[in-house]
Amino acid sequence: MLKELKAVSKELLKTKRVDVILAYKRASDGVSAAPCFIFEEKDIDGIILDSYCVYNLSNYIKDFHDKKIGIVAKACDIKSIIVLLQENQLKREDVVIIGVECHGVIDEKRLCLSERSVQDIGFNEKCRSCKSSLPAFCDYLLKEEEDRRVTPKTEEGDEYASIRKLEAKSPAERLKFWEEEFSRCIRCYACRQVCPLCYCPKCVADQTDPAWFSKASNLKGGMSWNVVRAIHLAGRCIGCGECERACPVGIPLMELNKKIEKDVKELFGYEAGANAEQKPLFTCFDKKDPEDFIK
Amino acid sequence: MIDHRPQTIDHRPQAADEKWEPKIVAFLCNWCSYAGADLAGTSRTEYPANVTIIRVPCSGRMNPLFVLKCLMGGADGVLISGCHAGDCHYSEGNFYARRRFAVLKSFLGYLGIDARRFQMSWVSASEGDKWAKLIYELVEEIKKAGPNELGKD
């Protein structure tokens, strides 16, 4: 698959179909992957493609908005490209999606913390509930030669198992849980920087006229920031998990985002990044939307 | 000049012997709910004075950020009230609001925030009585929920 990827990438640059290729290279630790931006054919030989390629490269689309982009994308990454297309952040003809089949990517933090082997639990949480390892919406589709999948899939069906567990607790328990998590937030905004869908030129957190919420790195500020960001991603978050992976203090951000993802699916039958013709969630409504919460 | 800095004034009773009265912020759509509340007023209907009303053109103008700013600023309860489904002065504004706030309501509950603190209602311009009754019940519920400790410095 890597050979094919290099060939396709070189061709795209050579014919000037794209100005830049967003791909993965080996990081300086010699083990993990890092994103790279390649402008010339000769630099393509340094790219890699393996289970360490966990980054969602569509995060960088916003940095190349005036260029034609070729992007190496796993099935989950492509969903964020689709949302960007839905929201007119990108023209379809300005991006060439090189879809790569993926049998699971490694979450390095989980790998370090565990005594078990990579094959047991090293794979990223999101990979357990992956519905399809084969990208559907792409310009090129590169398949794996053999099935490398070792991650057992989640108990059939429930990708929201952990959400349901939290929902089953009492409100007081939940508040205590979330207050403990949010009090650690240091407002580094790594979650925002790594999210493909956080592209606002002026983030709500940085607005001063009016100032919507505290900028302090305490419970009040941490709660405000994380709640607002989750709400702003409602119907848009595609669950790449990069925010949780980037968080330096280990806040379980996917437990927030997936809750809204679950609600949006159950309340409105809506899934983010399903297809490029779909309208963004809050730009449409159904006459039969639930209103049992309205007096 | 308007001071847009985040509110540092804590509206919660400071003195130990000060009796707590809930402070509720209500966002009312201009055409239905605000008129309905006004009707309650002109009819001289008595109802609790705990509500501060903010008039918006339509419930569809409502931003979940407003609700959050109120709750983190010390409001004990927040209410959004608009036209009944199908009766929006701007045809569809309340449909958008319905979708947006269904998500917010569920999410706030998931965070462990008391479900009584954020509520939504449809009150038409002729429903002065419904408005008064709504506020009576809302204030009772918020009294039971107690003072809002969220975002306390």
Side-chain angles (χ1 to χ4, degrees):
Chain A
M1 198 162 64
L2 181 57
K3 235 174 71 168
E4 244 190 292
L5 174 59
K6 288 183 182 177
V8 165
S9 305
K10 284 183 179 169
E11 187 62 27
L12 288 170
L13 283 172
K14 185 161 150 194
T15 56
K16 297 207 188 338
R17 172 69 184 87
V18 303
D19 300 311
V20 61
I21 296 275
L22 309 188
Y24 302 95
K25 68 174 184 196
R26 189 63 63 206
S28 50
D29 64 4
V31 175
S32 32
C36 64
F37 316 133
I38 302 179
F39 299 90
E40 291 172 47
E41 269 181 82
K42 62 176 172 61
D43 299 321
I44 290 286
D45 288 312
I47 71 175
I48 61 156
L49 191 63
D50 61 20
S51 305
Y52 282 97
C53 295
V54 58
Y55 286 87
N56 182 350
L57 294 172
S58 59
N59 180 37
Y60 300 105
I61 289 178
K62 59 178 94 114
D63 296 326
F64 293 102
H65 61 91
D66 53 353
K67 299 219 177 341
K68 291 209 188 302
I69 301 163
I71 177 172
V72 177
K74 313 187 284 291
C76 47
D77 303 337
I78 290 175
K79 288 198 217 160
S80 39
I81 301 177
I82 291 178
V83 179
L84 288 171
L85 286 166
Q86 286 175 357
E87 298 180 349
N88 291 319
Q89 291 305 306
L90 180 65
K91 287 204 216 95
R92 181 66 186 92
E93 60 266 21
D94 286 345
V95 64
V96 176
I97 304 173
I98 309 169
V100 296
E101 184 173 10
C102 170
H103 288 164
V105 285
I106 293 170
D107 181 339
E108 289 144 18
K109 278 191 206 147
R110 287 164 63 86
L111 191 54
C112 296
L113 293 170
S114 158
E115 287 135 22
R116 287 140 79 192
S117 71
V118 171
Q119 292 181 312
D120 267 353
I121 69 119
F123 284 91
N124 204 312
E125 196 62 48
K126 67 174 174 182
C127 299
R128 289 165 195 282
S129 46
C130 175
K131 302 253 168 46
S132 166
S133 54
L134 208 60
F137 180 85
C138 49
D139 297 296
Y140 293 88
L141 177 55
L142 307 182
K143 295 199 181 137
E144 289 271 28
E145 288 92 39
E146 48 182 280
D147 190 341
R148 294 185 295 110
R149 181 177 284 283
V150 290
T151 323
K153 291 227 186 176
T154 331
E155 306 72 53
E156 206 40 67
D158 209 0
E159 60 182 299
Y160 302 119
S162 56
I163 307 291
R164 288 188 220 282
K165 250 179 80 181
L166 255 179
E167 284 174 335
K169 296 199 155 118
S170 72
E173 283 179 300
R174 282 200 295 270
L175 186 62
K176 183 164 176 293
F177 172 80
W178 286 115
E179 285 190 332
E180 254 174 54
E181 301 293 337
F182 294 144
S183 58
R184 291 201 305 285
C185 180
I186 57 172
R187 307 298 291 275
C188 69
Y189 299 119
C191 50
R192 176 185 75 182
Q193 298 310 111
V194 93
C195 178
L197 298 163
C198 272
Y199 53 71
C200 289
K202 185 120 187 164
C203 177
V204 65
D206 297 328
Q207 280 175 30
T208 51
D209 185 20
W212 291 106
F213 48 89
S214 164
K215 290 178 86 64
S217 60
N218 55 20
L219 171 58
K220 181 175 189 173
M223 182 167 223
S224 303
W225 165 242
N226 286 289
V227 169
V228 170
R229 203 181 87 89
I231 296 278
H232 282 189
L233 287 171
R236 308 170 64 231
C237 173
I238 46 87
C240 69
E242 288 290 84
C243 51
E244 184 171 298
R245 196 171 71 88
C247 179
V249 296
I251 298 174
L253 295 170
M254 290 319 287
E255 300 301 310
L256 277 179
N257 294 321
K258 283 204 102 60
K259 159 63 179 173
I260 297 189
E261 185 190 291
K262 170 175 168 288
D263 276 351
V264 153
K265 198 185 278 190
E266 289 176 356
L267 291 170
F268 315 120
Y270 189 94
E271 268 185 62
N275 76 72
E277 272 76 58
Q278 184 185 45
K279 287 177 72 176
L281 174 68
F282 291 133
T283 64
C284 48
F285 58 85
D286 189 312
K287 294 247 162 84
K288 295 198 217 69
D289 278 339
E291 59 175 46
D292 45 340
F293 66 102
I294 302 179
K295 291 195 168 160
Chain B
M1 201 176 75
I2 304 170
D3 182 358
H4 289 292
R5 289 172 300 174
Q7 279 294 359
T8 49
I9 306 163
D10 198 311
H11 294 283
R12 287 164 275 233
Q14 304 302 318
D17 55 354
E18 218 181 291
K19 189 176 179 302
W20 168 69
E21 274 294 328
K23 190 173 186 79
I24 297 167
V25 180
F27 295 92
L28 268 43
C29 87
N30 177 71
W31 301 98
C32 281
S33 295
Y34 189 83
D38 195 58
L39 179 60
T42 50
S43 313
R44 300 281 180 264
T45 315
E46 275 198 20
Y47 65 89
N50 304 73
V51 176
T52 303
I53 292 172
I54 298 175
R55 184 172 64 111
V56 294
C58 176
S59 51
R61 189 266 173 273
M62 278 303 296
N63 186 338
L65 261 182
F66 300 171
V67 176
L68 201 82
K69 192 169 164 73
C70 289
L71 288 173
M72 297 307 280
D76 301 298
V78 182
L79 172 73
I80 297 176
S81 189
C83 308
H84 287 265
D87 294 343
C88 177
H89 181 81
Y90 303 99
S91 311
E92 330 162 315
N94 57 357
F95 288 134
Y96 291 110
R98 183 171 67 177
R99 214 174 232 213
R100 222 173 272 152
F101 292 100
V103 173
L104 182 71
K105 176 98 183 158
S106 174
F107 191 55
L108 291 179
Y110 179 72
L111 294 170
I113 296 171
D114 197 316
R116 295 169 287 196
R117 298 202 187 280
F118 168 59
Q119 299 192 30
M120 211 164 146
S121 62
W122 294 152
V123 171
S124 80
S126 59
E127 291 181 310
D129 288 335
K130 178 177 178 184
W131 172 254
K133 183 161 176 281
L134 184 76
I135 299 305
Y136 261 114
E137 285 168 5
L138 182 60
V139 172
E140 275 313 299
E141 290 184 322
I142 301 292
K143 279 187 169 155
K144 290 205 190 86
N148 179 14
E149 302 291 314
L150 268 183
K152 197 162 186 158
D153 286 312

